[in-house]
């Protein structure tokens, strides 16, 4: 059974990943709060990725970094601290986790690293300057590390559109906003965390050993299709 480390698996997409993987993986969740679910294959470490030392582990096969932010403001209201905070959560936290567990990943069989971007890194959207900048950094990190760590470790990212999580609650706070967001997507829907978790399971599996350096847009068509 493979061992997968999920950073930020207590809520949202991360929690959906933990829930999906726990039956067939040894899952190690690292987050500030424990997930509500328990399972014999699930181990939790309480840790703030930005301020605490990550736990020492003996073996891992895959590293999944989930923490993110949605800080939507006009550029005139975004402070430099806003940009710093988003960059720290999205990029520097990922770098910290990768550096910590890289030696273990190098000793695994078909190891992989999976990060998260956003459709806003490619599709220009108002009020997304800070988060789009941070996630563009994630996409650059994926490309660079995929080259640097080949052929041993695969590195990919998923770039989801709006996903029904507490992080996106402000975007989905009433029926009119929900319908407007659905209508903006060619598939007339947005994502639920379980859909993203299914893609995660696929990308860290041995069925995708030929994929690295890729940004997989789960966009319900909003980036790739115009109708």
């Amino acid at each position: 059974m493979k061992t997968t480390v999920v950073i930020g698996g207590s809520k949202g997409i991360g929690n959906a990943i933990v829930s999906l993987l726990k039956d067939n993986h040894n899952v190690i969740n690292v987050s500030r709060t424990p997930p509500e679910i328990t399972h014999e294959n699930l181990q939790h470490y309480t840790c703030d990725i930005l301020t605490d030392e990550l736990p020492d582990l003996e073996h891992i096969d895959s590293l999944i970094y989930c923490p993110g932010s949605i800080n939507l403001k006009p550029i005139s209201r975004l402070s430099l601290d806003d940009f710093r905070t988003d960059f720290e959560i999205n990029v520097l936290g990922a770098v910290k986790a990768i550096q910590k567990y890289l030696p273990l990943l190098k000793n695994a069989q078909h190891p992989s690293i999976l990060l998260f971007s956003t459709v806003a890194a490619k599709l220009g959207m108002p009020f997304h300057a800070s988060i789009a900048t941070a996630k563009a950094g994630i996409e650059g990190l994926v490309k660079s590390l995929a080259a640097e760590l080949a052929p041993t470790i695969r590195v990919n990212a998923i770039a989801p559109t709006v996903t029904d999580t507490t992080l996106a609650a402000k975007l989905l706070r009433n029926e009119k906003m929900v319908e407007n967001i659905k209508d903006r997507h060619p598939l007339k829907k947005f994502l639920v965390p379980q859909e993203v978790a299914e893609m995660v399971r696929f990308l860290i599996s041995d069925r995708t050993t030929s994929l690295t350096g890729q940004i997989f847009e789960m966009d319900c068509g909003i980036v790739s299709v115009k109708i």
Side-chain angles (χ1 to χ4, degrees):
M1 190 179 291
K2 290 195 172 185
T3 298
T4 299
V5 172
V6 180
I7 310 292
S10 63
K11 298 177 181 178
I13 290 173
N15 189 250
I17 294 167
V18 169
S19 298
L20 184 66
L21 295 182
K22 62 180 172 39
D23 292 329
N24 302 108
H25 290 243
N26 290 317
V27 179
I28 299 171
N29 176 65
V30 180
S31 59
R32 289 182 296 178
T33 57
E36 294 182 356
I37 57 174
T38 58
H39 193 275
E40 61 183 359
N41 295 337
L42 173 59
Q43 185 177 7
H44 169 74
Y45 289 91
T46 299
C47 174
D48 186 321
I49 185 65
L50 299 183
T51 58
D52 299 332
E53 290 296 320
L54 288 162
D56 293 325
L57 305 174
E58 294 183 0
H59 172 81
I60 67 171
D61 297 287
S62 297
L63 172 64
I64 305 168
Y65 185 83
C66 301
S69 54
I70 301 180
N71 186 12
L72 306 184
K73 297 179 186 177
I75 186 66
S76 58
R77 289 176 50 204
L78 281 168
S79 67
L80 290 181
D81 283 340
D82 286 326
F83 279 88
R84 289 189 186 99
T85 298
D86 284 338
F87 194 81
E88 287 176 354
I89 294 170
N90 290 278
V91 182
L92 295 186
V95 170
K96 179 179 177 179
I98 292 167
Q99 289 180 331
K100 172 70 175 182
Y101 297 122
L102 190 58
L104 296 180
L105 287 164
K106 287 180 176 179
N107 290 327
Q109 186 174 13
H110 304 309
S112 65
I113 296 169
L114 185 63
L115 308 179
F116 279 90
S117 180
T118 172
V119 293
K122 286 190 174 65
L123 179 66
M125 302 170 71
F127 313 128
H128 282 68
S130 182
I131 187 58
T133 298
K135 291 302 193 181
I138 282 290
E139 295 195 6
L141 183 65
V142 166
K143 297 289 186 180
S144 296
L145 290 184
E148 180 177 337
L149 301 179
T152 307
I153 302 172
R154 299 184 300 109
V155 187
N156 293 294
I158 296 172
T161 188
V162 176
T163 308
D164 189 7
T165 65
T166 54
L167 195 62
K170 289 184 179 180
L171 302 177
L172 304 169
R173 63 180 179 267
N174 59 56
E175 190 61 32
K176 182 178 180 180
M177 295 180 75
V178 168
E179 291 305 314
N180 285 342
I181 287 176
K182 285 182 179 179
D183 195 54
R184 290 182 60 198
H185 293 79
L187 293 183
K188 304 307 177 188
K189 67 183 291 289
F190 48 84
L191 296 171
V192 295
Q194 291 75 18
E195 292 178 277
V196 184
E198 289 285 0
M199 176 65 90
V200 169
R201 179 165 64 175
F202 176 64
L203 291 175
I204 66 171
S205 74
D206 288 347
R207 293 176 292 170
T208 56
T209 55
S210 297
L211 298 177
T212 195
Q214 303 298 309
I215 312 296
F216 292 91
E217 293 172 3
M218 295 189 69
D219 66 351
C220 298
I222 197 169
V223 174
S224 52
V225 175
K226 182 176 177 60
I227 58 174

